[in-house]
Every structure is written in C-alpha cells, then in structure tokens.
Amino acid sequence: MKVFGRDPTVSAVGHLGLLLAAALGCWSPVAWISFPAAAVLLLWLPGRAVIRLWRPISELPGAGCVAVAAAMVLMPIPLDWLWRWSNERLAVWVLSSGLNLLLWAVACRNPVACAVGPKRPIRYRAGLAGLVIYVGICTFGSYWLPEAGGRLNPRPAHDYIKHHAILWSLERYPLPLHSIFYADESATPYYYYHYHHLLPAALRKLTGDRVSIGLAFGFSSAVLAMVFVGTVYLLAGTILGPGRPGGALLAATCVSVVGAWDIIPVLVRMLAGRRGVVVLDSWTPVPWRIHNLMTQYQWCPQHIAATLALLLSIIWLRQAPRSPGWLLAAPLLAASLFGSSVYLAMSIFPAAAIWAASEVWRERAARRQLAAAMGGLTLLALLLMLPQGAGYAEMDARFPGNLTARWDRFDWALLGWLAPPGVLANLLDAPWLLLVEFGLPGAAVVLLSRAGWSGLWHDRGLRLLILASLLGVAAFLTVRSQHSPIDYGFRIAVMPTQVLAAICAGLLVDGGLIRRWARPWSKPVLALGLLLGLPVGLYEAPMMAARTLFWRTGDWSDAGAVRFLREHTSPDAVVQGDPVRRVTLPQLTDRRVGVADPGNPHVRVFYPRDPEGMRRVFSEVQRALSTNSSAVAYEILRQAGVTHVLAGEPERQRYGSMSQFDDRTRFDRLYADDQARVWRLVETAGD
C-alpha cells in the first residue's frame, strides 16, 4: 500500500494540503462534507504522521492499515486530556488540527519514501477487500439501520444502551461522565473505560453534532472492525512471508466471517425443542460464554480497540524491538489499552511484565540498563493511567459485587460433573468447551506442530501474544465478575487468544507445520472447520444488522410520540415512561429519564453513590404511573425531576389507562395519537 509519496518532499506538501483541507472542511454546514473531513483529521492523518516518524514501521508493507490503527489507538489519549477540561467544538478542532500540524512538522524532519514490497496475487487482495468491506457493512448496519429513513428502533446490540449513554454525556458535558438514567444523580461523577467512545464523540463535535450518535458510533466501530481484520492479515502475512498469502487470508477469515462451532450446540438445543437464537454463542450460560469476534465488533468495540493496541505493540516489537520510539510508544499504548478495557488490561499487563522480565534476563550484556529503561517506561505509563485508574477505583468502591473464583454448576458439564462446581470443574470441561467456542482456530492450536509453536515462541513480539493468550484463558476459567449477571469480566480476556488461534489456522496452510499424525486428514478438517464456522458470518452477522427491519416493538408502534419527544422538547427535558421496559428510551429520544431500572446490567454501569435512593425513586415512579391520584403522580414525578411523561403500548399493558394524567391542572397534554400520549408537568400545579 502506498502511504507516502516516492518523493518525501512532495509527500510532506500533500500531507499538509490534506490537513488544511480537512481542518477547514470540518466547519462546513453540510454534514456529508464536515463528517468525512473530521474522519480524515482524526482517523488518518495522526497515524500517517506517527508511522512516518518511525522508519521501520513506515517501511512495512500495509503501513496504511497500521496508520489508521495507530490513530484509533493513540488519538483517544489527547482527547481524554481535553475532555477533562472542555468538550466544546472549537477546543476539539484546535486540539485535532494543532496536534496534526505538530506531528507533520516533526515528521518532516524524518523524510521517508513509501514502502515497496512484493504484491500478493490479486485474488488474495480481492479476498481481503471483500472480508473487510463485509465486516464494515455488517457492523455499521447494526447501528445505522434502526434509524435509517427516519425509523425509530433500539439497536439490536443491548450494549448500545450504555454506549449511547456514554456518548450522550460526552456530547453534553466534559469528563467525568454524567448519567442519562437517573436524574437525581445525573451530575454524580461516573467512570468507565470510555477511550474508544471519544472518537465518535469528537467526530460529532467536529461536525457541530450534525450526525446522530448512532451513525457516528456505527462508523467508528465499523472502521475499527475493518482495521482489526486488516491488522491480523498484516501480522499473519509478516509471519508466513510473501510466499503464503493464503495463510494470511485464512487468518483474517477466522477473525471475521468464520467463527466458532456454536452451530453444533444450537442445533442440539433446537432438536431438544428449544427455540433458535440469533446470537449463536448464547447456547451456553453467560459465565462460560465466549463471543465470536464478529459479534464483538458489533457489541463492544471498546474491547476490540484494546486488543488492537496489543496487536500494534506486537507488530512494532517485531519490526523495531530496540527503537528509541518505544520511550513514547510503550507508555502511550499501555494507557490506551487501559482506557479502552480494564479487564483486558488486567490480563495483558501481567503478561507484559513476564515478557519484560524475560527480555531483561536474556540481555546479559546490558541487563541493568534494560531493566532501568523498562522500569522508567512502567513509571511513565502508570502516571498516564493514574487519572483513569482513580476513576476505576471510585466506581469499584461503589459496586457491591467484585471478582470471585466461586462458580455455579455448568449446565453443559461433561467431565466437570466429576468435581464440585468451581475452577477444577471448569478445567475438566475446558478442552471440549474451548474447541467449540474457538472452532477451526481452536483445532489449529492443537494441530500446529512443535516446530510451529517453537517458531512463534522465539519471535519476540509473538511471545508477548502467547503470554497474553495463556493468561487470558487462565483468567477466563478461574475468575468471574459479580458486578452484574451479564458482565463480560474475564470472558473478553481471551480476545488475544482468538487472534493467536487465527494465526495458527493460517500457519496450517504450510503442511509441514501440521503434526505428523494429523497430516493425512488435515484438509478435510480445515474444510469442515470452515463450514461449521460460517454461520457466524453468513447468518448471525447480517441478521444482527438487519433484524430491526422486521421488529414490531412497543417503541416502533409509539414512534410518533417518541419522535415528538426527540424533536419537540428541550434537550434538558427529563422523560419518563415505564422504567423497566423503556430502558432504551434514552437512545431513541436523546433525553435523560427520571429513572431507569436500577437492576438492568447496562444501567448499572452508571452506578450511583446512593443506590438505595435510586431503588426508592424507581419504586415511587412505578407507583406514580399506576396510581389513580393525579396529585400523587404529580408530586412523585416532580420530586424525581421528570418534566415529560410518555404513555404508549408498554405503559398501557402494565399500568392500564393511566387516567391520572388527564388532570389538566397538573399535566399538559402535548401529543396524542392512536398509540401513545405525551404530557408535560405544569410548572405550578393546581390544588
């Protein structure tokens, strides 16, 4: 990929011209001009300059993909610093433009030409392009289709409940986060691993908030997913060499359209009379569930961003293990990973410590100097992570649950029945469970020969990936989270393992790296493994994106009232519907609610300082919606900070006619149709 012009001077001038055009384009009143300009300013130019500064990386074929990955991993760090002070559009523009200008000026002192490497055959490049585009369409579609053409539907990924809440807060306020789910404690400081969310938030700010939260988040998530697949292809390609492009493409396939063998237990469930599922990995109970990467792209891109930071570290380690650039790169990559996913950091950082200790031990000649350098890098990384870590600590102190090594009985246990529920039982069932949950890549881990594993282990960068993978699997099988019933916890710690296993699958293209006993039937295993993993990409992924086209939910039938709240009420309005069934109301209206269900795991991300107070308001609001007394309803809702009430299909089903709101001395009806009504609490109620 041509990243820089063959003439470095011409390249520098072109870079500056693109920078100026993008910076000016952000101020266009037309969103289809300002949004692409903002994307270039945030997601392309910073990484392009960083890669240009680091000569060994700039000479890597595929450096364009690494440039976008670097921008997506590193740009949230200065954006986080800024957002702690201001979230104004001008401030975001000055930071983005000024940082790009500074990087350009420094990069001009290190002119490099474009990387010219052997091109892979066109069929493999076309295959990669098809994979990347398909992943991008499915990811973007899952966020955009529910609102396309003026439609109003919740996003199929339930995690979007908190994604939208974070982006709403970033739009309205500087950090720390505010809550959209509980008006009484909206201003209480909340903390989350929000680094990835800063990218769509900044994209929106640079366009003057002319694009929706869903579109901006869908775009950044799609770009991240596409770059992740491309980065795995690039990493696998550098391991296999230019002579085996099919292996790199197979590795990319195994982190995109080919997933686990979930279809087997899903079919078993259906044959037993249980209904089918869209998300195939839901066959297993939550604590033992490993989501396919294709699912992760659409559900939790923040964890994908953290894994991408690890992959960048590995690529840069392999290309420039002793470069002075690590003095900045190591602390920044660590801070980005920590700010994107604390659970991945908790498994990857110990792996990095083991890796660093092994490097110091191997370096006999300059052991003290290397140890001192790594100690200094660790200290700098800790300083960068300190503000985010303090926020994590405050939120952890609020939550009643924590990490535990206690487990229930696994419903699908086979050998696990031989031991009491717990870690030992998990370990007994681990071989078959991991094989099903990883699919073909899991089989590749078993089939790869000792020589293949030796080659991976003796590679400096891949050794870090192996260590992170081992610790991730160990954490997944031993420790779980008690924060909420569906908390990811260490289930996402296996993401590095999923990448490593995909690379192992790519290595099987070299028949000499397959164990001798498996060589006669390796090709049928590969073919069958691909077929069993295809439903993840060819059924689940497009269904995740398109299923809202067929939904007929209460939110859909009440679309007129929901649209009225979104378009004809003040941005400071506080809306209240059924706090249980309307947990998606904030993402549909972009308005705060008086209270949402405090037991909902996505609402619990914004855990208040006074949880009993939130539960009390939750109970009282339900009483207000069900009482026959307009005076009682008014007083409860007023104390909860509510300004508008929505009564649609979900409310009628649970609370009846809700005639208490027909009292015009206390409630002013603003909207009514055959499906729903909207009232505003009058400022001064009658007696």
Side-chain angles (χ1 to χ4, degrees), residues 263-581:
I263 191 64
I264 299 174
V266 167
L267 290 177
V268 171
R269 281 168 45 104
M270 293 176 66
L271 290 174
R274 302 180 69 174
R275 67 178 185 177
V277 295
V278 172
V279 182
L280 297 174
D281 55 46
S282 61
W283 65 270
T284 187
V286 170
W288 295 269
R289 186 177 302 168
I290 297 177
H291 292 302
N292 294 285
L293 284 172
M294 192 71 168
T295 308
Q296 303 280 29
Y297 299 147
Q298 301 180 46
W299 283 66
C300 52
Q302 71 274 26
H303 301 305
I304 295 294
T307 309
L308 184 61
L310 174 65
L311 296 185
L312 278 181
S313 303
I314 292 164
I315 290 173
W316 293 354
L317 272 175
R318 300 184 76 240
Q319 294 298 121
R322 291 289 187 265
S323 170
W326 281 108
L327 295 173
L328 282 177
L332 291 174
L333 288 167
S336 176
L337 197 157
F338 187 65
S340 299
S341 174
V342 66
Y343 282 118
L344 274 166
M346 290 168 68
S347 60
I348 292 174
F349 285 176
I354 296 171
W355 178 90
S358 69
E359 288 295 302
V360 171
W361 181 257
R362 291 166 183 265
E363 191 67 36
R364 297 182 179 179
R367 186 172 293 170
R368 288 187 178 181
Q369 294 89 327
L370 184 58
M374 289 192 173
L377 293 177
T378 302
L379 180 60
L380 183 55
L382 289 173
L383 289 174
L384 289 175
M385 293 185 286
L386 186 60
Q388 192 72 5
Y392 291 157
E394 180 176 336
M395 290 303 293
D396 184 66
R398 293 186 204 171
F399 276 96
N402 211 311
L403 300 177
T404 181
R406 299 181 62 182
W407 294 75
D408 296 327
R409 173 67 71 186
F410 180 32
D411 294 351
W412 290 69
L414 298 178
L415 294 177
W417 286 102
L418 300 175
V423 175
L424 178 58
N426 288 347
L427 293 174
L428 289 173
D429 279 315
W432 75 264
L433 177 63
L434 292 176
L435 185 61
V436 172
E437 294 277 42
F438 278 75
L440 175 60
V445 170
V446 178
L447 297 179
L448 188 64
S449 68
R450 180 180 299 179
W453 279 110
S454 177
L456 294 177
W457 179 255
H458 286 93
D459 183 291
R460 179 179 278 109
L462 297 177
R463 192 182 312 123
L464 174 59
L465 180 59
I466 292 172
L467 289 170
S469 300
L470 290 173
L471 289 184
V473 171
F476 162 66
L477 294 170
T478 57
V479 185
R480 66 180 182 86
S481 171
Q482 291 179 310
H483 281 284
S484 75
I486 64 167
D487 194 41
Y488 278 89
F490 286 105
R491 293 188 294 120
I492 54 95
V494 300
M495 281 189 178
T497 320
Q498 291 174 296
V499 174
L500 175 64
I503 292 172
C504 290
L507 290 174
L508 295 187
V509 171
D510 183 348
L513 294 178
I514 301 175
R515 295 185 183 274
R516 290 182 181 276
W517 53 266
R519 289 176 187 174
W521 42 273
S522 60
K523 290 184 178 179
V525 167
L526 283 172
L528 182 61
L530 285 169
L531 287 174
L532 290 174
L534 276 176
V536 169
L538 299 185
Y539 161 72
E540 178 182 310
M543 279 299 294
M544 279 284 295
R547 62 178 171 162
T548 59
L549 296 174
F550 314 105
W551 279 3
R552 290 296 182 266
T553 65
D555 298 301
W556 180 86
S557 61
D558 301 337
V562 172
R563 184 172 287 106
F564 176 85
L565 288 168
R566 184 187 185 105
E567 298 176 358
H568 299 286
T569 60
S570 165
D572 296 324
V574 179
V575 178
Q576 189 64 61
D578 178 19
V580 176
R581 295 185 59 185

Side-chain angles (χ1 to χ4, degrees), residues 135-381:
V135 167
I137 289 174
C138 288
T139 303
F140 179 74
S142 69
Y143 290 109
W144 178 71
L145 281 178
E147 70 177 37
R151 300 168 65 249
L152 283 172
N153 258 322
R155 270 61 180 185
H158 299 303
D159 284 51
Y160 185 74
I161 294 171
K162 59 176 174 278
H163 294 320
H164 180 276
I166 293 167
L167 284 165
W168 174 87
S169 176
L170 293 173
E171 173 194 339
R172 303 290 181 88
Y173 309 101
L175 289 168
L177 298 171
H178 288 55
S179 176
I180 198 173
F181 299 120
Y182 182 34
D184 276 1
E185 281 199 47
S186 180
T188 294
Y190 298 89
Y191 303 92
Y192 188 73
Y193 26 94
H194 61 264
Y195 269 34
H196 173 69
H197 300 83
L198 287 165
L199 293 175
L203 287 171
R204 295 191 70 234
K205 282 297 177 184
L206 289 174
T207 64
D209 295 326
R210 289 188 176 89
V211 297
S212 68
I213 289 176
L215 189 149
F217 189 73
F219 175 81
S220 64
S221 300
V223 172
L224 178 66
M226 295 163 73
V227 169
F228 191 90
V229 174
T231 302
V232 172
Y233 177 84
L234 173 62
L235 179 58
T238 60
I239 296 168
L240 287 159
R244 299 188 185 92
L249 185 60
L250 179 58
T253 301
C254 288
V255 296
S256 55
V257 297
V258 171
W261 293 340
D262 297 313
I263 191 64
I264 299 174
V266 167
L267 290 177
V268 171
R269 281 168 45 104
M270 293 176 66
L271 290 174
R274 302 180 69 174
R275 67 178 185 177
V277 295
V278 172
V279 182
L280 297 174
D281 55 46
S282 61
W283 65 270
T284 187
V286 170
W288 295 269
R289 186 177 302 168
I290 297 177
H291 292 302
N292 294 285
L293 284 172
M294 192 71 168
T295 308
Q296 303 280 29
Y297 299 147
Q298 301 180 46
W299 283 66
C300 52
Q302 71 274 26
H303 301 305
I304 295 294
T307 309
L308 184 61
L310 174 65
L311 296 185
L312 278 181
S313 303
I314 292 164
I315 290 173
W316 293 354
L317 272 175
R318 300 184 76 240
Q319 294 298 121
R322 291 289 187 265
S323 170
W326 281 108
L327 295 173
L328 282 177
L332 291 174
L333 288 167
S336 176
L337 197 157
F338 187 65
S340 299
S341 174
V342 66
Y343 282 118
L344 274 166
M346 290 168 68
S347 60
I348 292 174
F349 285 176
I354 296 171
W355 178 90
S358 69
E359 288 295 302
V360 171
W361 181 257
R362 291 166 183 265
E363 191 67 36
R364 297 182 179 179
R367 186 172 293 170
R368 288 187 178 181
Q369 294 89 327
L370 184 58
M374 289 192 173
L377 293 177
T378 302
L379 180 60
L380 183 55

Side-chain angles (χ1 to χ4, degrees), residues 77-93:
I77 299 173
L79 288 173
D80 178 70
W81 298 340
L82 172 70
W83 237 274
R84 293 178 187 274
W85 170 67
S86 173
N87 67 334
E88 294 296 325
R89 182 186 187 187
L90 180 60
V92 177
W93 182 83

Side-chain angles (χ1 to χ4, degrees), residues 85-106:
W85 170 67
S86 173
N87 67 334
E88 294 296 325
R89 182 186 187 187
L90 180 60
V92 177
W93 182 83
V94 169
L95 173 73
S96 304
S97 303
L99 182 59
N100 272 298
L101 191 60
L102 176 63
L103 288 171
W104 170 81
V106 176

